[in-house]
Amino acid sequence: MASNRIKGSASQTAAAYFAAWRKGDVSAMARLVYRAPADFVVRHRQLSDELHVESIQLTPGQLRSTGEGAAEVPFAGVRELSEFGAWPFDSTLRLGVRDRAWKVLWAPETLHPLLKEGGTLELGEIDASAAELVTSEGDKIPNDSYADAYLDPLKPEFEQANHGWALVSKVPGQPDRQLMTRAPEANVERTTLSRSVQAAAARALDGVEDSTIIVIRPSTGEILALADRLMDNYSAVRDVFPPGSVFKVITAAALLKGGLDPAAPVQCPGSYQIPFHRLFVNDGEVDRGPVTFADAFAHSCNTTFVEQATTRLTAEELRRTADEWGFGRPIATGIGGTCGTVPGTDDLDMLAADAIGQGEVVATPLCMAALAAAVQNGTWRSPRLLSKEQVRRIDGVPHGDVVMDEGIVAALRDMMTAVVDYGTASDAGLPEGVSGKTGTAQVEGETSHAWFIGYRDDLAFCVFVRHGGSGRSAAVPVAARFLNGL
């Protein structure tokens, strides 16, 4: 008769326990447990929080008696984890008569079998590998691309909030076991670099110390290649150098704007002294006598440009023209960048030196590549290495496109074509269809810097060899290797 005084039944207690568990009513569950541990409620809540459990399904099996006053219910459970989805488990609910009532005999493994003997379950973050920057086509950046100095510092920009997850079982005295993993999404960001153009640019620089080549697509401003072997931490996009005769593109634009015709006769003596001022000489003091303005540009006559600039231009007009062609604008590439400066002067000697890219004029190779691109396309565009959205996020809003004067652009194209056809870049191995301008910038007490800027179809470039010597001997061969390697 004593058994009649036992409250409830094993099946009623089990059913009530499962119902409370499904609802997440841990306090009601605790009331059904014989001597529930003090941290019973906390342990249930902590496991759900730790594993990011969204819901639980419980499917009890058949109750079976395991002796007098003892029973058990095997059950199947499925926890829905926010990181992994459904995570099934099997366990057993043990019951016994205690204090004349059927109670749940709870142990940690009731929650999950892996919690037996001090085991724990943890959800850990898997750090993403560094963001991978790829070419515009989605390919890996070519090996030995000489672009790492720009790409590596960019990677942290694309790493935020990107990690994977691992569900880990930890049992004292045993190695940790990963039960489930969700790898971080590969954080791949496309640059504007073209795999084939970058590879050709890098190979063109092989063996040429202290050099760089920047290639831009004139129709979009995208940087297709940025290979930089400049030494002493110099940067092709941030550091400025005297541009030498490549600056004559801007001086020519100012003179054309002022009304000087490409076919106009001018003098190209071996040396020219500004009245009551300094003497300027041509490379090798070559005297070409009377030539057209276009020919003076093709042969890079310093004396012609000094005479014409000092008699036809003010320093302010030269500076304003430089600003129109990019000098006066912020450049937002995604990796920073600057163009150059043409300081104002009221000294005629300084104006003359500035007009041939010496004096106080300085420019970045990036700026000169953008200049060549603007001549090719007729529109100046702020060069960029990333998508427009990413450039805005990282560097701010770039300057808008600027349409250049059509007549000046057409004249500059003809003059840059003449440089390659019969001027300072002729017979130098350049392929058909290239137009450009060479530059040799003297550096006090050191070897000159070598420059060559130009374009071919929808491809504009700047080659710069620091302390490389003359533009023709040092920079043009790099451009020829690059263009022939495409």
Side-chain angles (χ1 to χ4, degrees):
M1 295 298 289
S3 67
N4 291 343
R5 292 202 301 280
I6 295 170
K7 264 203 245 162
S9 67
S11 60
Q12 283 172 339
T13 300
Y17 188 84
F18 285 124
W21 195 354
R22 285 189 192 100
K23 282 195 298 202
D25 189 347
V26 188
S27 302
M29 292 162 68
R31 288 194 292 274
L32 295 165
V33 173
Y34 177 67
R35 292 186 181 168
D39 63 352
F40 180 87
V41 172
V42 170
R43 285 181 82 145
H44 280 72
R45 299 229 162 101
Q46 267 180 348
L47 185 74
S48 289
D49 291 347
E50 170 72 33
L51 303 188
H52 301 177
V53 177
E54 292 179 338
S55 62
I56 189 165
Q57 290 175 2
L58 300 161
T59 310
Q62 285 293 110
L63 176 93
R64 54 180 180 247
S65 172
T66 54
E68 194 175 345
E72 64 182 25
V73 181
F75 66 94
V78 180
R79 286 183 174 90
E80 190 72 28
L81 308 186
S82 61
E83 273 71 39
F84 295 104
W87 182 43
F89 68 104
D90 292 305
S91 192
T92 302
L93 188 71
R94 291 172 52 243
L95 302 117
V97 175
R98 299 287 187 275
D99 300 335
R100 294 206 294 272
W102 279 98
K103 290 283 192 180
V104 171
L105 307 180
W106 188 85
E109 57 263 37
T110 312
L111 255 177
H112 194 285
L114 290 171
L115 298 177
K116 200 173 179 174
E117 292 163 2
T120 57
L121 290 165
E122 292 177 19
L123 190 64
E125 289 185 7
I126 302 172
D127 281 339
S129 54
E132 189 186 2
L133 295 168
V134 296
T135 66
S136 59
E137 304 92 345
D139 298 325
K140 283 196 179 306
I141 305 289
N143 287 338
D144 304 321
S145 66
Y146 305 131
D148 295 346
Y150 299 98
L151 301 179
D152 289 346
L154 259 185
K155 289 176 182 176
E157 287 286 350
F158 302 102
E159 277 168 16
Q160 60 274 17
N162 183 30
H163 48 250
W165 297 95
L167 182 59
V168 182
S169 164
K170 297 187 174 196
V171 178
Q174 294 181 25
D176 292 357
R177 194 155 62 91
Q178 285 199 346
L179 307 175
M180 290 196 283
T181 57
R182 194 182 87 192
E185 287 171 33
N187 200 350
V188 174
E189 186 68 28
R190 288 187 189 227
T191 65
T192 58
L193 298 176
S194 153
R195 203 189 74 76
S196 57
V197 180
Q198 180 67 41
R203 297 298 65 82
L205 292 189
D206 284 343
V208 186
E209 289 294 305
D210 220 357
S211 58
T212 185
I213 179 167
I214 298 181
V215 186
I216 293 175
R217 179 176 281 137
S219 60
T220 62
E222 293 164 297
I223 297 172
L224 302 181
L226 174 49
D228 188 345
R229 298 195 66 199
L230 293 176
M231 289 155 59
D232 305 328
N233 259 351
Y234 278 110
S235 157
V237 305
R238 288 184 290 277
D239 288 310
V240 293
F241 307 93
S245 292
V246 290
F247 189 76
K248 286 175 185 163
V249 174
I250 284 170
T251 307
L255 290 166
L256 291 163
K257 189 175 172 187
L260 183 59
D261 192 275
V266 293
Q267 292 298 318
C268 176
S271 62
Y272 172 77
Q273 179 155 18
I274 307 168
F276 312 111
H277 285 270
R278 289 183 47 180
L279 180 78
F280 286 84
V281 297
N282 285 334
D283 186 33
E285 291 199 43
V286 174
D287 183 343
R288 295 191 179 273
V291 291
T292 64
F293 178 45
D295 288 351
F297 182 90
H299 294 295
S300 208
C301 287
N302 286 341
T303 54
T304 307
F305 272 76
V306 166
E307 180 180 11
Q308 296 304 319
T310 53
T311 55
R312 290 171 173 267
L313 295 176
T314 63
E316 178 56 24
E317 285 168 334
L318 184 63
R319 189 190 61 74
R320 220 171 27 237
T321 304
D323 285 356
E324 285 169 14
W325 286 89
F327 276 64
R329 300 188 191 117
I331 290 182
T333 57
I335 50 168
T338 187
C339 196
T341 50
V342 182
T345 180
D346 47 17
D347 175 0
L348 211 54
D349 288 339
M350 188 56 74
L351 169 60
D354 286 346
I356 57 172
Q358 297 287 162
E360 293 180 333
V361 173
V362 286
T364 59
L366 173 69
C367 185
M368 292 288 101
L371 171 65
V375 175
Q376 190 278 342
N377 187 263
T379 297
W380 181 92
R381 291 181 170 87
S382 185
R384 60 182 173 87
L385 186 72
L386 298 170
S387 70
K388 288 178 179 175
E389 296 69 35
Q390 295 293 10
V391 167
R392 273 198 290 276
R393 181 175 72 82
I394 296 168
D395 268 0
V397 180
H399 196 286
D401 298 351
V402 182
V403 178
M404 309 310 291
D405 181 288
E406 276 180 40
I408 292 172
V409 166
L412 289 174
R413 285 180 192 146
D414 288 345
M415 290 158 78
M416 288 173 75
T417 299
V419 169
V420 178
D421 282 354
Y422 59 84
T424 53
S426 62
D427 302 322
L430 292 166
E432 280 290 300
V434 179
S435 302
K437 181 71 191 81
T438 57
T440 305
Q442 289 160 1
V443 185
E444 188 80 33
E446 296 191 68
T447 308
S448 298
H449 297 319
W451 294 82
F452 184 52
I453 67 171
Y455 59 84
R456 184 192 191 204
D457 301 326
D458 199 14
L459 204 76
F461 58 85
C462 171
V463 175
F464 173 66
V465 187
R466 188 168 159 256
H467 302 308
S470 82
R472 179 181 170 84
S473 65
V476 175
V478 172
R481 273 204 303 282
F482 160 63
L483 293 164
N484 288 317
L486 283 171

